[in-house]
Amino acid sequence: MAVADRLSLGGAVEAITPPLPVALSGYGDRRGVAESVHDDLEVRAIVAADGDTTLCLLSLDLMAMSADWADLIRAAVATALATPVACVLTTPVHTHAAPSTLAGTVF
């Protein structure tokens, strides 16, 4: 494997707090919906590119994420970066103060 002559790195943070009120996930006996925001939920991105390949890692302030949610996000980011979907990785931080992004969740 050849080492790239030039590696570009970048990062960003963006709020992903949904509009209120919103049902939160994380506790089986949670009652009601969130009606205020203490801290915004965020997505943090790190992008590395060597001229041939662009790789993006997204860390999201969510409890968990089903593949269908992750696939939508990965496809949108891959299109924006003009890189294959396989080069976009997502991971939730597992906060219990975020809306559900699990398939089949009903509130």
Side-chain angles (χ1 to χ4, degrees):
M1 174 169 40
V3 176
D5 291 331
R6 183 176 177 106
L7 181 64
S8 297
L9 298 172
V13 177
E14 184 69 33
I16 58 170
T17 305
L20 297 173
V22 65
L24 301 180
S25 64
Y27 299 102
D29 64 349
R30 187 184 298 274
R31 303 288 186 259
V33 295
E35 297 179 358
S36 64
V37 174
H38 185 277
D39 294 307
D40 276 322
L41 300 174
E42 297 177 333
V43 58
R44 290 160 208 81
I46 297 175
V47 178
D50 68 1
D52 295 321
T53 304
T54 299
L55 178 68
C56 179
L57 173 61
L58 301 169
S59 174
L60 300 105
D61 288 341
L62 299 171
M63 188 190 80
M65 210 172 14
S66 296
D68 55 338
W69 279 87
D71 290 347
L72 289 170
I73 293 166
R74 292 175 64 224
V77 172
T79 298
L81 295 175
T83 196
V85 172
C87 293
V88 180
L89 309 172
T90 59
T91 185
V93 300
H94 199 82
T95 179
H96 285 246
S100 179
T101 50
L102 294 174
T105 303
V106 178
F107 292 103

